[in-house]
Amino acid sequence: MGALLCGAVADWTNSSGLTCVGFLLSSTVSILIYSESSIGFEFLRQTLLMIIGGLINGPFTMIISTVSADLGCRVPSRAAMATISALTNGIGSIGAALGPSVAGVLSQYSWNSVFFAMIASNLAASLMLTRICFHEIRTKFFPTPAPLPAEETP
């Protein structure tokens, strides 16, 4: 659901970078709320966890697919496009495999350290997307004016 919602918002706003950063920052706030609150109702905790998962998974899925598609369009070779897609998915898989290992080590100290590691990784991902966000803001809100036609001299 998170990927579907993130894709729909990105299509509606025509700015995938800003959408990803918005989702990542929203998940950061949700993680903070979850880690600092002692929600007694199991249903509310599970609902908040599902929201956090959707807010994190949406940008992840969009980044994997968008990067592959954007780079694939710029490279004329089909073999190079397949290599780009494989590298992007492979690096994402390495991160997905290392994440639970790091969480397991950190959970030995406290669960708050796991939550703060998740927050740090979300903020790092948002920071890495700032260049794309600045480009989207510049093109969306401050478009460069078209050059004036040159006057013809007789």
Side-chain angles (χ1 to χ4, degrees):
M1 292 302 291
L4 183 65
L5 182 63
C6 191
V9 171
D11 287 344
W12 182 62
T13 60
N14 198 23
S15 55
S16 59
L18 289 170
T19 302
C20 285
V21 169
F23 269 62
L24 289 170
L25 294 179
S26 297
S27 69
T28 300
V29 172
S30 300
I31 293 169
L32 273 173
I33 291 170
Y34 185 81
S35 68
E36 296 300 323
S37 67
S38 56
I39 301 172
F41 299 107
E42 190 69 26
F43 175 75
L44 291 176
R45 281 201 323 224
Q46 290 175 354
T47 303
L48 189 54
L49 282 175
M50 286 183 358
I51 291 170
I52 291 169
L55 289 172
I56 291 174
N57 187 39
F60 170 76
T61 305
M62 184 178 291
I63 289 169
I64 292 295
S65 62
T66 304
V67 168
S68 297
D70 284 349
L71 291 176
C73 291
R74 294 179 186 165
V75 177
S77 169
R78 283 179 134 353
M81 190 165 111
T83 303
I84 290 168
S85 180
L87 282 171
T88 306
N89 288 326
I91 291 171
S93 297
I94 290 170
L98 290 177
S101 301
V102 171
V105 170
L106 291 176
S107 69
Q108 293 175 355
Y109 299 105
S110 74
W111 275 103
N112 278 339
S113 60
V114 175
F115 294 133
F116 289 126
M118 290 173 62
I119 289 169
S121 64
N122 282 347
L123 293 175
S126 297
L127 184 65
M128 290 179 198
L129 289 170
T130 54
R131 185 173 151 212
I132 294 171
C133 290
F134 284 139
H135 175 72
E136 288 177 356
I137 290 169
R138 192 171 45 245
T139 57
K140 196 174 206 64
F141 299 110
F142 306 105
T144 55
L148 296 173
E151 293 183 21
E152 295 181 23
T153 55

